[in-house]
Amino acid sequence: MRSILVLLEDLVQAEFGSTELAAVRASSSEHLRDVGRLAGAPGRVMAFIEAIADVRRRPVHEVYQFVAAKLVPLVLTEYSGLLKGHTSARSVLMQITRLAPTVLDTLIPGIPYAEFDVELIDLETMRVRFEGPAEMLAAFEGIAMGLAKHYGERAETSRVSPPAFAPDRRMLDIKIGAERRDPRTPARPAGSSELRRKLGI
């Protein structure tokens, strides 16, 4: 199976072409020398994503969201048993605390992972809470979008401001529903650039 870094390179190649992939690789090598960079796969993945932000001249958090959303279908194709038994984004997200360690250890060994708290707000909406950097929140938004797309659903996300006493607490409301589409309109292809346009990447 291809590693997460190979999937990232394939994603950049498919979205932006070989010239920009070469530029991202060069920038990533520079980022790997940053002070405080995590060792191993976590550091390499983060350096690569930061390099995409540099080359595309986009805010890092936007790139984390974009990359996470685009990687979900690639990862679930490559690692077909990773979410075995789950048939909806809601099912996955409701069990994210149990699933996250196995998924992350499989994809990015050594990366720290958070404890998640998931609360149902209404029949369609859940609120996810965890402690972590802003980039992690952006990536989680992208994962929710990618999961919904994978399962033929739609996801709407809304960030919730953290309490003053816990500024590093991240809170995200995620509304999952059936994909709304006129049956006379053909489904968009898997390579749809809708998210890319939204983020300006």
Side-chain angles (χ1 to χ4, degrees):
M1 287 183 286
R2 292 174 295 171
S3 71
I4 195 72
L5 281 166
V6 172
L7 293 176
L8 274 168
E9 291 201 343
D10 289 350
L11 173 60
V12 172
Q13 171 77 37
E15 293 289 332
F16 309 122
S18 56
T19 300
E20 295 217 1
L21 175 57
V24 169
R25 284 172 172 162
S27 178
S28 179
S29 295
E30 295 294 324
H31 277 290
L32 282 172
R33 294 195 281 270
D34 291 348
V35 175
R37 173 69 60 198
L38 290 174
R44 292 194 296 274
V45 168
M46 292 176 185
F48 196 88
I49 293 173
E50 290 165 18
I52 296 173
D54 286 349
V55 171
R56 299 298 301 174
R57 295 189 175 129
R58 303 300 305 173
V60 172
H61 71 275
E62 286 187 4
V63 177
Y64 267 93
Q65 182 181 343
F66 174 79
V67 165
K70 288 288 188 176
L71 276 179
V72 167
L74 299 178
V75 166
L76 294 182
T77 298
E78 195 73 19
Y79 298 81
S80 56
L82 204 56
L83 298 179
K84 187 177 180 180
H86 292 277
T87 57
S88 70
R90 175 185 293 271
S91 170
V92 174
L93 294 170
M94 287 298 295
Q95 298 189 45
I96 192 66
T97 293
R98 181 180 64 81
L99 291 170
T102 299
V103 171
L104 291 174
D105 285 345
T106 299
L107 299 177
I108 316 173
I111 195 168
Y113 40 80
E115 288 289 327
F116 295 89
D117 175 60
V118 183
E119 173 191 3
L120 285 176
I121 303 297
D122 57 38
L123 290 175
E124 289 188 323
T125 309
M126 63 189 77
R127 176 166 294 172
V128 182
R129 301 180 182 87
F130 58 90
E131 304 283 336
E135 291 82 3
M136 185 176 174
L137 177 62
F140 197 83
E141 282 186 277
I143 289 168
M145 293 175 187
L147 285 169
K149 184 176 180 65
H150 174 74
Y151 289 112
E153 301 165 324
R154 57 183 172 81
E156 299 173 13
T157 62
S158 177
R159 298 185 185 190
V160 181
S161 299
F165 62 84
D168 289 334
R169 181 172 299 167
R170 309 300 172 186
M171 295 191 292
L172 185 69
D173 286 353
I174 306 170
K175 184 175 183 179
I176 304 288
E179 181 67 50
R180 289 178 183 164
R181 182 171 58 84
D182 186 326
R184 295 167 298 180
T185 303
R188 287 189 296 267
S192 169
S193 59
E194 181 180 352
L195 180 60
R196 181 172 164 183
R197 290 197 307 271
K198 175 185 174 184
L199 298 179
I201 293 178

